[in-house]
Amino acid sequence: MFVDNVKIYVKAGDGGNGAVAFHREKYVSHGGPDGGDGGHGGNIVFRVDKGCNTLLAFRYKHKFIAENGDNGKGGKIHGATAKDMIISVPPGTLIRDEETGKIIHDMTENDGADYVCCKGGKGGWGNRHFATATRQIPMFAKSGKKGEEKNLILELKMLADVGLIGYPSVGKSSILARISAAKPKIADYHFTTLSPNLGVVSTGEESGFVAADIPGLIEGAADGAGLGHAFLRHVDRCRLLLHVVDISAMEYRDPIDDIKNINYELKRYSPELASRPQIIVANKVDMLDTERVDIEEFEEFVKDNGWELVYVSAITGKGLDEMINRAAQMLKELPPMLIYEAEYQPEDAYVGASHDTVIRRENDTFYVEGEWLYNLVGQVNFEDYESLNFFQRVLKKSGVFELLEAKGCTDGMTVSIYDFEFDYVK
């Protein structure tokens, strides 16, 4: 079964708690604090699996939770850091934020590196960190930070240089089987192809390109008719389209009308996609009946639209080498494959969380609390200028400043957010 769009929940591990402990040994009755730190929680890491081309593994498993870090112990023994949770996905998978639909990351073969989607919580400090000249017996330690969590959409957009498009039963699968090692299911009836098929086409020596056979499109595909609508996303990355038509008109369809209809559906789905270069592949030339098809009119139509034309037969192999050579030559001159840029910004995870914010006032100090803020503080380095700016942007976008002003906070008053204090400036 081919699965190319799933929703999942991921959560990185929480950091372990720091320990409250004191040094004890023979003849030492009142040793100093020696509580160990908690271990860091495991990250959620996505990894490209080049041997996979479907999201079927996520059909029944939707929750992925990394392990928590171990708690610290006495004797300055730190808790163990948890292992990362590795989630394997096919190349070309887009990771989106479920709430906003924005792209977080594009998992492509060109990327190469793993992608850390959610960071594990930092381990809390043991009580030895809080010992001072005036506080020699700290009876407290710091709790571990919670790991990040997200609701995601995984959307597969196959990585193919060339896409074979066209009506059902025009011979796309047969062509792919002849020009590559792919073995798609082939039969003489509509919708034989129920999922996209990939094949590597060799052009000599070590060069070549990847071609995708996209299930047949029909009129209304952009609105969801037929099978093509579900797989239109898989031609989004294709740099070149091989538009296959049945030149024999065995089903009494006009090849010109077929081309017009398919391109109309492509344009409705994505004008940018419809503008991609095309080679018109007139298949089944071995069964051509010139009484049914006006070849001169057909060739004139293709020429007027600026497309290249090649006659082929998937049965006999006629014209396939010419088609491959033309495609390879055009690919050399076309821009590289589309890689989607990230649209999702880290602060988006916190914006809108103000309804979970509690503000209490003690004299001229305002204490701001909330689970989302607790998690946010754990991700911020307050000694770093850019990290501090990030923190302030989140507070502004999530409405914390407005809530403070509504509670009576004015310039010069102190705001405390989990041990981080600053003077409020409007």
Side-chain angles (χ1 to χ4, degrees):
M1 176 178 290
F2 186 81
V3 179
D4 61 359
N5 194 285
V6 296
K7 295 180 180 180
I8 64 172
Y9 166 80
V10 295
K11 184 185 182 307
D14 298 336
N17 298 326
V20 176
F22 298 90
H23 180 67
R24 293 292 182 266
E25 65 175 305
K26 192 174 183 180
Y27 307 120
V28 180
S29 59
H30 294 83
D34 67 352
D37 300 340
H40 300 325
N43 300 320
I44 296 292
V45 180
F46 284 89
R47 175 174 295 170
V48 172
D49 180 359
K50 295 182 181 180
C52 180
N53 64 354
T54 176
L55 297 173
L56 182 61
F58 302 92
R59 188 183 181 197
Y60 298 110
K61 184 175 181 180
H62 304 287
K63 290 186 177 182
F64 298 84
I65 302 175
E67 296 179 355
N68 298 331
D70 289 342
N71 295 330
K73 299 179 181 179
K76 299 180 182 178
I77 298 176
H78 299 321
T81 293
K83 293 182 179 179
D84 294 341
M85 170 164 280
I86 308 297
I87 303 176
S88 296
V89 294
T93 300
L94 292 182
I95 303 173
R96 294 182 182 271
D97 174 62
E98 182 182 355
E99 183 176 354
T100 64
K102 292 182 178 179
I103 296 173
I104 297 176
H105 193 71
D106 186 355
M107 302 293 294
T108 64
E109 288 179 306
N110 297 332
D111 223 355
D114 293 340
Y115 173 66
V116 179
C117 182
C118 292
K119 294 182 179 179
K122 296 180 180 179
W125 283 354
N127 67 335
R128 64 190 180 87
H129 290 277
F130 302 99
T132 66
T134 57
R135 185 176 57 205
Q136 299 182 4
I137 310 176
M139 299 299 294
F140 60 91
K142 197 170 185 179
S143 300
K145 301 295 184 182
K146 290 192 175 182
E148 296 178 333
E149 57 184 327
K150 290 186 177 75
N151 288 299
L152 303 174
I153 296 175
L154 301 185
E155 179 185 1
L156 177 59
K157 290 179 181 283
M158 282 186 167
L159 297 181
D161 300 292
V162 175
L164 280 73
I165 61 172
Y167 267 84
S169 297
V170 294
K172 301 185 299 297
S173 297
S174 298
I175 290 175
L176 184 66
R178 286 295 298 253
I179 65 176
S180 71
K183 294 180 172 58
K185 181 181 178 183
I186 300 172
D188 190 19
Y189 55 85
H190 288 182
F191 301 120
T192 304
T193 304
L194 299 179
S195 63
N197 293 295
L198 287 177
V200 178
V201 182
S202 175
T203 57
E205 298 179 355
E206 296 183 358
S207 61
F209 57 85
V210 178
D213 161 28
I214 308 301
L217 304 178
I218 62 174
E219 293 179 59
D223 294 324
L227 295 176
H229 168 74
F231 302 111
L232 275 168
R233 67 171 65 95
H234 297 297
V235 291
D236 280 353
R237 298 186 194 266
C238 295
R239 298 187 287 151
L240 174 65
L241 302 178
L242 298 184
H243 196 148
V244 184
V245 294
D246 180 0
I247 196 62
S248 71
M250 292 292 291
E251 297 187 4
Y252 298 96
R253 286 202 315 267
D254 185 346
I256 294 178
D257 289 341
D258 283 3
I259 294 173
K260 289 180 178 179
N261 291 336
I262 296 301
N263 282 336
Y264 176 69
E265 296 302 328
L266 286 178
K267 188 173 182 179
R268 291 180 64 205
Y269 173 75
S270 168
E272 195 276 333
L273 177 61
S275 67
R276 301 272 170 84
Q278 294 187 16
I279 296 177
I280 304 301
V281 180
N283 190 29
K284 304 184 183 180
V285 69
D286 54 307
M287 297 185 289
L288 176 61
D289 186 343
T290 55
E291 293 184 1
R292 282 201 296 259
V293 180
D294 187 335
I295 292 297
E296 290 186 5
E297 180 185 8
F298 175 74
E299 292 180 347
E300 189 69 23
F301 168 75
V302 173
K303 182 179 179 181
D304 289 345
N305 282 276
W307 298 316
E308 292 204 31
L309 172 64
V310 58
Y311 291 98
V312 306
S313 170
I315 300 299
T316 67
K318 179 181 178 180
L320 293 180
D321 287 341
E322 180 186 356
M323 181 193 73
I324 292 173
N325 291 335
R326 287 195 187 185
Q329 188 60 41
M330 290 182 68
L331 287 172
K332 291 179 181 179
E333 302 170 0
L334 292 176
M337 187 178 295
L338 174 65
I339 305 297
Y340 289 87
E341 297 292 333
E343 305 166 335
Y344 183 89
Q345 299 299 321
E347 56 259 38
D348 291 348
Y350 302 100
V351 173
S354 56
H355 62 279
D356 295 325
T357 305
V358 176
I359 298 178
R360 55 187 175 86
R361 178 176 181 176
E362 295 182 7
N363 298 321
D364 287 338
T365 300
F366 291 80
Y367 295 89
V368 187
E369 299 172 344
E371 183 177 354
W372 72 277
L373 274 169
Y374 181 81
N375 294 335
L376 174 62
V377 169
Q379 308 299 323
V380 175
N381 178 5
F382 292 104
E383 296 180 359
D384 179 75
Y385 179 76
E386 291 186 2
S387 186
L388 187 58
N389 279 343
F390 160 75
F391 181 67
Q392 292 176 333
R393 286 198 308 271
V394 173
L395 294 183
K396 182 177 180 180
K397 288 185 176 182
S398 59
V400 171
F401 292 156
E402 292 181 5
L403 291 174
L404 283 168
E405 291 176 9
K407 293 284 187 178
C409 186
T410 58
D411 287 358
M413 290 185 171
T414 302
V415 177
S416 177
I417 304 179
Y418 293 103
D419 297 331
F420 174 68
E421 294 187 352
F422 61 94
D423 291 334
Y424 184 73
V425 178
K426 187 172 181 179

